Amino acid sequence: MTSDLGPGELQAILLARDFRAEDRVIQVGANLPAARAAAMMANLTTHPDARILLGVETENLAGGREVPPVHAFLFHALGHELGEAQMHQQAVFDDMSRPDVFFVGGLQVDRVGNVNLVGIPGEAGGWRLRGPGAVALATMSTYCRGYYILMPRHDPSTFVERVSSITALGDRARRAELQFPGGGPRLLLSPLGVFDFGEDGSMRVRTLHDGVSVEQVVEATGFELVIPDRVPRTMPPTAEELELLRSRVDRDGLLRAR
Amino acid sequence: MTSTGQPRGRLDSKLADALGEVPDGAVVGIGGTLTAGRPMALVRELLRRRPRDLTLVAPIGSLDVDLAIAAGSVQRVLTAYVGAEGVAAVAPTFRAAAERGDVEVVDLDEAHCVIGLRAAGQGLPFLPWLGGVGTDLPKINPRLVEFEDPITGRPLLAVPAIRLDLALIHSETADAYGNVQFAGTGHLDPLLASAADRVVVQAERIVPTDWIRRNPGATHYWREVCVTRAPWGTHPYASATIETDSEHLKVYTKAARSAVKGDGAELERYLEANVYGPANHEDYLEAVGIRRIAELVT
C-alpha cells in the first residue's frame, strides 16, 4: 500500500467503493471530512446522479463546474451559494425518507454495532468521559437506508462488549423488534480494517488493512469478533482512486495530514 | 386618526441596548450551527456582564458555549453537540465541566432540538419523535419520556417544549422594523427565535425596508425583536462574509485545555483580550485587526 497514504484517504476510498447503486442521497455530518470526500468521489464517478449534502448545500458535482475542495469545517462562508439547493436542517427531519446514506462516528462501539458518542456515564451520575453529544445520530440511524460507522481508534476501550450508553442503535434484533424504517449499519471502518455484521448481527472481520494481523485485531477488540477462515486483505487504493482523491477532491491535502 | 399601535420591531444603534437586560438564570438560545452563524458580538456582550447560572440552548453548539462555561456563566446546556470539529472534537471546558458535574448537560438529538423548539413555538407541551427510541438518551436525559403511540401502540419519545427567554441570532441583513433576512438557510435560527419570548438579532448590515421588499420571500420576523448592527459579528466563526478563523479557535482551544489541566493563565489572558477587555464589538474588531479580518473575508 502507498506508504504516505493518510488514514483519512484510505477511509474515503473504502467508503466511496461501497456505496450502492440505489443510493441517491448521501448526507454527511460533523467532523467527518473523509466521508465528505467519499461522497464527492462517488458523485464524480459511480454516482453522478446522486445528491450529496455537504454542510449547508445540496450538491451535485456532475454538472461540470469546478469541484470545491474538502472543507475542514462542515459549514463555510460560501456554502449557501454553491450547489443546486440549500440544506435546511429542520427540512431534513421533515422528510426522513430522503437520506439514503449517513455516517456515524463513535467513542465506543459494541459487538452488535451499537455506537456511543455522548459519553461514558459516571457511577454516581454525571460523566466519567464526556463526548461531543448525540448530534443527529439517534434520528439518522433510525431512518436512513444504511450507515457507516467510522471509528478513529481500535482498542479494547473503544471496541467493547456493550457500550456504556447507546446513541445509535445498531443491534439488528432490537431494530427489527422496534420496526425501524432504516437498514442499520452497513460497514465499520477502523484503523485496522473493515468490519460488517453477520447473520446473527455480530461484528465480523471483512478485510484487514496492510500489515495488520488477525492476532493484532483480536487483541485490540474487547469482545469476540467473528473471524472467517480466510481473512482477505483490504484492497489498496488504485492509482485512479488516489488520483481522483488528491487532484480533484482533496486538493488541499486535508485527509493526508489527518 | 392617531396611531396607537406598538412598533413592529426596534433598531438599537448600541448593541448593548439591543441585548437589553438579561437576568441571572435566564434561558438563552444561541443561533448558528457548528462553526457558522454564531452571534458572537451578542455572546461577548452578554459574557462581559458576568451573568450567572444561565441555561444555554445551543442545538449544535461550538466553542461559544465552551467560552460561556469558562467565563463561569453557565449552569445548564441543552445541546446535541459542543465542539469545533477538527480543532476540538469535544469542547474542552464543556467536557471537563460535565465530568466534574459543574454544568448539567441536557442531551438531545439534533432532531429533538428541532421539534422541542417547534413545540415551544406551537404552544404545545411536547411533540412526539421516533429517533431516540431504543437508545439510552431517555436514560441520560429523563426529560425525554417514552410513551405508547395511541394510534399504533408502538413506543415513541415525547420531546418536551424548549422555551427560551431570549434568542440571540446573527443575520446578514435586517431593517429597523425587525424584518430579518439570512444569507442561505439561517440554520435553525428562525425556529430558535419562534421559541423565545424575545429575539435579538445582530446583522451584518442594516438596510432600508425598500431593500427588504426586493425579496420578501426571504424575510423572517417575530413578535418581540430588536436588531442591531454587528459587521463580522460572528468572528471567530463563519458567516456569509467571513470564513471560520481556525487559528483563533486553536488559540482558544489550547488555552482552555491548559486551564482544564490546572493552568488557567492563558485562558485568563484570552478572556481579558477578547471578552472583558474590549468595551464593545468595535473594540473587539480593532483587537482582532483589519489584517486578520481581511484574510477571512470571502
Side-chain angles (χ1 to χ4, degrees), chain B:
Chain B
M1 217 194 286
T2 320
S3 160
T4 56
Q6 293 290 309
R8 61 189 187 273
R10 200 179 84 202
L11 172 67
D12 280 304
S13 58
K14 285 207 173 95
L15 185 133
D17 293 342
L19 180 60
E21 208 172 305
V22 183
D24 287 352
V27 181
V28 180
I30 303 180
T33 301
L34 290 171
T35 59
R38 313 214 73 83
M40 291 310 294
L42 287 167
V43 169
R44 282 186 290 263
E45 173 59 30
L46 177 60
L47 297 183
R48 204 170 286 135
R49 301 173 184 182
R50 301 180 191 262
R52 308 289 301 174
D53 301 329
L54 298 176
T55 290
L56 297 184
V57 177
I60 304 286
S62 194
L63 300 177
D64 51 339
V65 174
D66 205 77
L67 181 70
I69 297 171
S73 294
V74 182
Q75 181 187 64
R76 187 183 297 115
V77 184
L78 278 79
T79 190
Y81 178 86
V82 184
E85 300 194 67
V87 173
V90 187
T93 317
F94 164 78
R95 165 174 263 177
E99 289 173 359
R100 282 196 306 261
D102 293 349
V103 164
E104 180 197 346
V105 186
V106 180
D107 278 290
L108 298 164
D109 182 270
E110 186 184 7
H112 300 159
C113 298
V114 167
I115 65 162
L117 293 167
R118 190 170 284 161
Q122 294 176 345
L124 291 172
F126 75 94
L127 279 169
W129 195 248
L130 177 61
V133 169
T135 73
D136 287 325
L137 286 174
K139 219 181 277 175
I140 55 180
N141 173 10
R143 295 170 201 220
L144 298 168
V145 180
E146 194 173 295
F147 71 104
E148 188 189 285
D149 165 15
I151 310 290
T152 66
R154 301 222 297 267
L156 286 175
L157 287 187
V159 179
I162 304 170
R163 294 193 188 83
L164 312 178
D165 295 320
L166 177 67
L168 307 180
I169 281 172
H170 178 86
S171 81
E172 271 59 38
T173 43
D175 73 1
Y177 302 102
N179 293 309
V180 173
Q181 296 185 345
F182 298 98
T185 68
H187 309 282
L188 295 177
D189 297 2
L191 201 56
L192 195 79
S194 70
D197 289 343
R198 193 161 69 84
V199 183
V200 184
V201 180
Q202 56 164 65
E204 292 282 336
R205 7 181 237 162
I206 304 297
V207 297
T209 303
D210 280 349
W211 197 98
I212 294 284
R213 286 178 191 276
R214 295 198 312 209
N215 187 14
T219 305
H220 293 267
Y221 61 91
W222 305 277
R223 192 169 192 284
E224 291 289 335
V225 56
C226 282
V227 302
T228 191
R229 186 168 168 272
W232 304 308
T234 56
H235 185 271
Y237 303 99
S239 66
T241 50
I242 54 171
E243 286 294 358
T244 298
D245 190 344
S246 52
E247 295 312 309
H248 184 109
L249 293 183
K250 282 175 194 163
V251 168
Y252 172 78
T253 301
K254 188 167 162 283
R257 283 182 180 151
S258 297
V260 166
K261 287 184 191 137
D263 178 6
E266 225 177 307
L267 183 62
E268 279 307 312
R269 274 199 299 279
Y270 178 93
L271 284 167
E272 195 49 42
N274 293 280
V275 180
Y276 302 131
N280 51 42
H281 181 54
E282 290 70 25
D283 280 4
Y284 172 81
L285 288 179
E286 200 161 5
V288 172
I290 190 66
R291 200 176 284 269
R292 185 62 187 145
I293 295 289
E295 286 166 358
L296 299 169
V297 167
T298 51

